[in-house]
């Protein structure tokens, strides 16, 4: 590795502006940046085709380490993150074994410390009987609630169980908003149908909107911070714009729901297009 590198004329994203400037790298780390640097370096290069941005943060990743490491692990996943400019990741709890206890959280932190190449944090998964563990946990990104069944066994669908968490925790509550009852009802109705897009019909817009409405009501009643994960449909966005309370309710969207739409995605990608919640139509 070169001891020092000076890159000239690089596009620098700074305070919501893009300006052309120079950066000086010493022993592999950015030491200085300015709009014009005149410093001696072992190598001076033209950075016209490059862009320097702050390290991105991905608040929703699934590293799958431990029993599902064949799919992804902290090393492979964090390499991908670093290559894409992401310097911090927050890992979801629906792994095998699931991250639902302080012991499981400690094991995951130990695994990440030995293998993760970027900064990391974790969510703790909610179950109907682990409230004490949720409240004891320190330095976590938040509590993850699966209102609809997904990967792993972390379903929490009963209103009484949800109420208990919203009532008795002061941590950020994040929800996978799909109503389990509607999913099961749609499954029964669709038993004789076929086709990949059936996945989106079973996990319908109605399932998402109903779950969001339930979570919003609980958050408002108990004045708790709520983050709605991976929105998929236009109606959900409209609902949140109407109901949003500044500083209390937030939401996110994932890239696959922004850039893919059905039925084209299902025809092109096959089963790889089946995600929870599902890919919607283009207008969404």
């Amino acid at each position: 590795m070169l001891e020092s590198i000076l890159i000239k004329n690089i596009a620098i994203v700074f305070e919501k502006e893009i300006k052309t400037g120079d950066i000086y790298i010493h022993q592999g780390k950015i030491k200085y940046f300015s709009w014009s640097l005149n410093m001696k370096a072992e190598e001076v290069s033209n950075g016209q085709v490059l862009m320097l941005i702050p390290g991105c943060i991905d608040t929703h990743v699934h590293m799958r380490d431990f029993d599902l490491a064949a799919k992804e692990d902290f090393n492979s996943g964090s390499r991908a993150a670093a290559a894409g400019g992401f310097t911090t990741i927050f890992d979801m709890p629906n792994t095998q074994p699931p991250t639902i206890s302080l012991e499981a959280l400690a094991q995951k932190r130990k695994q990440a410390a030995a293998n993760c190449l970027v900064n990391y944090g974790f969510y703790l998964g909610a179950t109907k009987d682990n409230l004490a563990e949720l409240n004891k946990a320190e330095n976590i990104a938040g509590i993850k609630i699966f209102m609809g069944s997904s990967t792993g066994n972390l379903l929490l669908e009963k209103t009484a169980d949800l109420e208990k968490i919203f009532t008795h925790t002061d941590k950020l509550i994040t929800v996978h908003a799909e109503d389990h009852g509607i999913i099961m009802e749609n499954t029964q109705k669709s038993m004789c149908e076929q086709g990949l897009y059936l996945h989106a019909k079973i996990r319908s817009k109605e399932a998402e909107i109903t779950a969001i409405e339930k979570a919003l009501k609980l958050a408002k009643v108990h004045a708790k911070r709520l983050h709605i994960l991976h929105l998929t449909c236009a109606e959900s966005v409209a609902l949140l714009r109407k109901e949003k309370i500044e500083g209390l309710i937030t939401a996110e969207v994932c890239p696959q729901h922004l850039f893919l739409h059905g039925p084209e995605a299902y025809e092109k990608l096959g089963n790889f297009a089946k995600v929870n919640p599902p890919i919607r139509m283009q207008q969404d």
Side-chain angles (χ1 to χ4, degrees), residues 18-246:
I18 300 178
K19 298 182 178 181
T20 300
D22 307 337
I23 62 171
Y24 179 80
I25 299 172
H26 180 69
Q27 294 182 345
K29 295 184 178 182
I30 295 175
K31 190 79 172 177
Y32 304 106
F33 86 86
S34 182
W35 311 128
S36 181
L37 285 176
N38 294 300
M39 304 176 71
K40 291 183 178 180
E42 291 180 64
E43 180 180 294
V44 179
S45 62
N46 190 326
Q48 268 186 318
V49 298
L50 303 175
M51 178 176 284
L52 181 69
I53 64 174
C56 297
I57 300 171
D58 192 337
T59 61
H60 192 145
V61 305
H62 293 272
M63 286 299 169
R64 303 296 189 207
D65 214 325
F66 299 109
D67 293 356
L68 299 177
K71 294 184 176 184
E72 184 83 284
D73 60 27
F74 282 115
N75 185 265
S76 65
S78 64
R79 282 177 180 272
F86 287 82
T87 55
T88 302
I89 58 173
F90 292 98
D91 189 44
M92 288 296 175
N94 54 330
T95 47
Q96 294 296 335
T99 317
I100 57 176
S101 67
L102 297 181
E103 181 182 359
L105 181 62
Q107 290 175 347
K108 187 175 273 191
R109 282 174 171 158
K110 183 178 179 181
Q111 186 84 342
N115 297 286
C116 197
L117 303 179
V118 297
N119 303 315
Y120 53 83
F122 302 105
Y123 295 88
L124 203 58
T127 71
K128 63 181 181 180
D129 54 11
N130 75 337
L131 180 62
E133 296 282 279
L134 297 176
N135 285 334
K136 287 178 186 175
E138 296 180 354
N139 194 28
I140 60 171
I143 294 169
K144 173 70 177 284
I145 295 177
F146 288 87
M147 298 176 73
S149 56
S150 187
T151 305
N153 186 25
L154 289 172
L155 179 62
L156 200 68
E157 57 168 323
K158 294 181 179 179
T159 301
D161 294 330
L162 293 167
E163 186 95 40
K164 185 166 66 173
I165 292 175
F166 275 88
T167 303
H168 297 293
T169 188
D170 60 357
K171 292 180 170 63
L172 172 67
I173 298 170
T174 69
V175 298
H176 178 128
E178 289 186 287
D179 186 85
H180 184 69
I182 293 175
I183 292 172
M184 292 298 100
E185 184 179 329
N186 289 341
T187 301
Q188 289 297 317
K189 290 178 180 177
S190 307
M191 291 294 282
C192 297
E193 297 183 44
Q194 293 182 338
L196 285 171
Y197 196 65
L198 184 61
H199 180 69
K201 184 177 179 180
I202 289 172
R203 307 183 81 98
S204 63
K205 289 185 177 186
E206 182 189 4
E208 176 171 304
I209 295 164
T210 300
I212 290 176
E213 288 175 336
K214 184 183 291 185
L216 284 172
K217 182 178 180 180
L218 288 167
K220 288 179 178 180
V221 168
H222 300 288
K224 295 296 165 67
R225 291 184 300 147
L226 173 67
H227 184 67
I228 308 293
L229 300 162
H230 40 50
L231 297 181
T232 70
C233 55
E235 291 88 342
S236 297
V237 177
L239 173 63
L240 286 168
R241 282 180 174 152
K242 178 183 175 183
E243 300 290 342
K244 186 175 179 181
I245 301 174
E246 197 68 36

